[in-house]
Amino acid sequence: MNKDKVIEMCEGQINSIGTRLSKHISEEAKATLMQARSTALLALAIAVQEKKSE
């Protein structure tokens, strides 16, 4: 997959998760979303790093 597309997808996921975290949801749901956000941030960091090393 194109690294630019991966970066775009990760940024979209991070923004979407941030929006969901601002709503009134259970603590369990918040914890799950925070874990998903951490994973998306890690994927974003890897994709950006790989793009820079091209």
Side-chain angles (χ1 to χ4, degrees), residues 16-32:
S16 175
I17 291 167
T19 300
R20 285 186 240 152
L21 281 170
S22 68
K23 299 184 183 213
H24 296 288
I25 56 176
S26 71
E27 291 302 313
E28 240 178 38
K30 282 183 185 178
T32 301

Side-chain angles (χ1 to χ4, degrees), residues 31-49:
T32 301
L33 285 171
M34 290 177 77
Q35 185 175 22
R37 183 174 62 178
S38 294
T39 302
L41 283 168
L42 178 58
L44 177 60
I46 291 168
V48 168
Q49 187 63 37

